[in-house]
Amino acid sequence: MRFKSFFIASSLFLGLSQLSYGQAGTIVGSKHDFSLSNNTWNFSTPITAQLQGQICRPCHAPHNTNGLSSWTQDNAGSFGPLWDHAQSVANYTIYSQGYNFWKEGAATIGTPDGSSKLCLSCHDGTVALANFRTYTTGTTTMANFDGGAANLGTDLSTTHPVSFTYNTALATTDHKIWDPSSTPSGVHSGTIQTDMLEYDKVQCTSCHDPHNAAGVNHLLIKSNVGSALCFTCHKL
């Protein structure tokens, strides 16, 4: 009985430890809650007093966006509804498979596109966080915010690859990944393909939810306790 109680308590602790700093299932209180006082860049010039401290406006606008939401699928993807943050024009060093130990087929990694391009408009550290709407003179970037913890930079060679096609053909060639068309995601009620991919591509949002719907640390789409998120797509 004592062991059972310990197990239950430990499991509860692990579950709670996966919750984000905010309320479960909401952006409020999360790392993307730009109304929190530590986001000083969102409470100062050049942003006007009317917009200062808002959560949504640094990324989205209800009216008169800056036009970035009109991107086509072929360049940056139509994944930015009412997008309003300045786009990065950086060139990236992308992940390289290198020597394939199993001598199996590897994915072809492309230049970041789709929602990954939107994420990088802040997270590559080249665009000021306050550069949205008509504001272009912000000075705080991810490189000098929060100790640069979420600053990926432009060298993505040591970061999980994004913007590559993950489909049945790839899973057939690379036997270390699950077939996304038939494998449950464990996120919603669908498969990896329907719940986690954008036009069959892995993007930042395949693992992260900028709106913190799951209420999990690091804005993950589901808990990674026991590497559960990793094993959604990867086999041992």
Side-chain angles (χ1 to χ4, degrees), residues 1 49 67 72 77 186:
M1 181 65 70
T72 66

Side-chain angles (χ1 to χ4, degrees), residues 137-215:
T137 59
T139 58
T140 300
T141 69
M142 291 304 299
N144 45 42
F145 174 75
D146 198 23
N151 178 45
L152 296 176
T154 59
D155 183 357
L156 305 180
S157 62
T158 58
T159 295
H160 190 290
V162 294
S163 305
F164 66 90
T165 299
Y166 174 22
N167 55 17
T168 300
L170 181 64
T172 301
T173 305
D174 185 345
H175 299 99
K176 300 183 296 297
I177 55 177
W178 298 105
D179 184 343
S181 68
S182 58
T183 304
S185 70
V187 179
H188 300 299
S189 58
T191 63
I192 294 171
Q193 182 182 47
T194 58
D195 292 346
M196 299 173 66
L197 305 182
E198 293 177 348
Y199 292 98
D200 289 337
K201 282 188 174 183
V202 171
Q203 302 289 8
C204 297
T205 53
S206 295
C207 292
H208 299 278
D209 177 6
H211 301 118
N212 193 43

Side-chain angles (χ1 to χ4, degrees), residues 16-226:
L16 290 175
S17 69
Q18 283 292 302
L19 294 178
S20 72
Y21 299 105
Q23 303 173 43
T26 175
I27 197 172
V28 175
S30 75
K31 287 292 187 179
H32 277 180
D33 183 349
F34 303 132
S35 69
L36 298 179
S37 59
N38 64 315
N39 294 291
T40 54
W41 58 270
N42 200 23
F43 291 88
S44 58
T45 305
I47 305 172
T48 60
Q50 182 183 12
L51 294 182
Q52 285 180 5
Q54 291 197 27
I55 299 176
C56 304
R57 294 302 288 269
C59 292
H60 304 283
H63 307 286
N64 303 315
T65 68
N66 61 16
L68 293 182
S69 59
S70 63
W71 291 337
T72 66
Q73 181 185 337
D74 291 334
N75 54 42
S78 302
F79 305 115
L82 297 173
W83 191 253
D84 218 37
H85 197 272
Q87 180 184 5
S88 172
V89 295
N91 293 315
Y92 302 102
T93 302
I94 60 175
Y95 178 88
S96 175
Q97 179 72 18
Y99 178 70
N100 191 330
F101 181 79
W102 297 107
K103 302 185 184 302
E104 295 180 345
T108 300
I109 312 302
T111 301
D113 59 18
S115 62
S116 297
K117 191 72 173 175
L118 304 182
C119 299
L120 288 167
S121 69
C122 282
H123 287 278
D124 73 5
T126 68
V127 180
L129 301 176
N131 282 12
F132 61 93
R133 301 294 300 142
T134 57
Y135 309 127
T136 59
T137 59
T139 58
T140 300
T141 69
M142 291 304 299
N144 45 42
F145 174 75
D146 198 23
N151 178 45
L152 296 176
T154 59
D155 183 357
L156 305 180
S157 62
T158 58
T159 295
H160 190 290
V162 294
S163 305
F164 66 90
T165 299
Y166 174 22
N167 55 17
T168 300
L170 181 64
T172 301
T173 305
D174 185 345
H175 299 99
K176 300 183 296 297
I177 55 177
W178 298 105
D179 184 343
S181 68
S182 58
T183 304
S185 70
V187 179
H188 300 299
S189 58
T191 63
I192 294 171
Q193 182 182 47
T194 58
D195 292 346
M196 299 173 66
L197 305 182
E198 293 177 348
Y199 292 98
D200 289 337
K201 282 188 174 183
V202 171
Q203 302 289 8
C204 297
T205 53
S206 295
C207 292
H208 299 278
D209 177 6
H211 301 118
N212 193 43
V216 176
N217 262 342
H218 310 298
L219 302 175
L220 293 177
I221 59 173
K222 69 177 186 180
S223 170
N224 199 34
V225 168

